[in-house]
Amino acid sequence: MQFDQEAFGEYLEQMWEHLFETKTISQIMAKINTNHRARRFLAMYLLKNRETFHLYYQMREELGIGYIFDTIISALFHEREKKPVKQELIDLLQINLGMADQIIEGYALREFNKDLNSFLVYWRKRTGEWEQLHQSYE
């Protein structure tokens, strides 16, 4: 499958409106330690494009979001051969495993994968690309 940035952007906009209405990304970010939806949304938001990812990556320590980047990077590199979309995101974002300050395991990876799968289901419904989606789940 080819990662569909346009569909991902639409998906993020819909999630943002549904979960946070008119809050800014700064307001959402301020809630990541007390609101699991804010934390999970931010992880997906950072995948929006290479520019967004690297802009916030450079400010991760001052913003207190380093662990979110560690989760994203760890999750994308974890079992990426089983989900081709992960390799596409790695290439698109131009990231490497060395960018993570620590490797995250366990529940945080499952949570990230669940959110990525939610986008893939959205994408399938939008495009009708069941075969490609099915292959990315395997």
Side-chain angles (χ1 to χ4, degrees):
M1 102 173 254
Q2 177 131 9
F3 184 73
D4 189 338
Q5 276 189 283
E6 181 180 331
F8 191 69
E10 291 172 11
Y11 176 73
L12 287 173
E13 286 177 28
Q14 289 178 16
M15 279 182 57
W16 193 332
E17 185 177 312
H18 174 73
L19 296 173
F20 306 106
E21 298 174 351
T22 60
K23 289 189 173 45
T24 66
I25 195 66
S26 297
Q27 291 170 316
I28 295 168
M29 206 176 299
K31 295 180 177 263
I32 61 171
N33 292 320
T34 58
N35 183 311
H36 76 283
R37 287 184 177 162
R39 184 181 67 251
R40 291 173 72 169
F41 175 80
L42 182 61
M44 290 296 106
Y45 177 82
L46 294 170
L47 299 176
K48 182 177 174 180
N49 56 46
R50 181 176 34 250
E51 294 77 19
T52 300
F53 186 90
H54 286 278
L55 173 69
Y56 285 99
Y57 180 81
Q58 291 173 349
M59 300 184 300
R60 70 191 182 284
E61 294 307 319
E62 75 182 67
L63 295 172
I65 58 174
Y67 71 94
I68 291 178
F69 280 98
D70 292 344
T71 300
I72 292 169
I73 295 166
S74 296
L76 288 176
F77 280 90
H78 182 260
E79 297 182 341
R80 68 180 186 247
E81 65 283 351
K82 292 182 179 180
K83 191 178 296 288
V85 71
K86 288 184 174 186
Q87 186 61 53
E88 291 189 36
L89 282 166
I90 289 167
D91 295 342
L92 176 74
L93 299 172
Q94 297 180 347
I95 61 173
N96 62 68
L97 189 56
M99 293 173 72
D101 293 327
Q102 62 180 340
I103 300 302
I104 305 296
E105 297 178 351
Y107 181 75
L109 296 185
R110 290 191 302 275
E111 191 175 66
F112 179 89
N113 286 330
K114 181 179 176 182
D115 293 338
L116 186 57
N117 286 340
S118 292
F119 164 69
L120 294 174
V121 169
Y122 168 87
W123 178 77
R124 177 193 56 90
K125 288 179 180 177
R126 180 180 183 264
T127 64
E129 297 287 339
W130 172 251
E131 279 303 312
Q132 291 182 8
L133 174 68
H134 180 69
Q135 291 171 0
S136 70
Y137 271 109
E138 294 174 346

